[in-house]
Amino acid sequence: MVDARGLRCPLPVIRLARAARDAVPGAVLTVVSTDPAAQHDVPAWARLRGHTVVESRREPDGALAISVRVGSAG
């Protein structure tokens, strides 16, 4: 899990990208962000990198949690 609460664009995506670099294909990573831009930025980044968004949900604190399955592009 990548906790990016309180970080503004582009930091949630940068932190998620770092985690994805070290992840094996098929791993699911979740980024939790309070930045409204993450709702659009994370799926766009995933699409460009060959990853797949598998879930998006609101946390009890209002943060957005987006889970991404890492593709072979890593």
Side-chain angles (χ1 to χ4, degrees), residues 49-69:
R49 298 292 180 207
H51 310 310
T52 305
V53 173
V54 294
E55 182 182 20
S56 181
R57 67 183 184 283
R58 285 282 166 195
E59 295 291 294
D61 66 357
L64 180 63
I66 303 173
S67 297
V68 176
R69 182 174 318 279

Side-chain angles (χ1 to χ4, degrees), residues 23-55:
V24 297
V28 175
L29 301 174
T30 301
V31 61
V32 181
S33 178
T34 51
D35 182 6
Q39 180 177 358
H40 303 289
D41 293 348
V42 171
W45 167 84
R47 204 170 34 255
L48 288 170
R49 298 292 180 207
H51 310 310
T52 305
V53 173
V54 294
E55 182 182 20

Side-chain angles (χ1 to χ4, degrees), residues 4-26:
R5 289 178 183 98
L7 301 178
R8 302 300 285 177
C9 178
L11 289 175
V13 171
I14 289 171
R15 299 265 174 101
L16 181 57
R18 282 186 193 148
R21 253 194 331 245
D22 298 328
V24 297

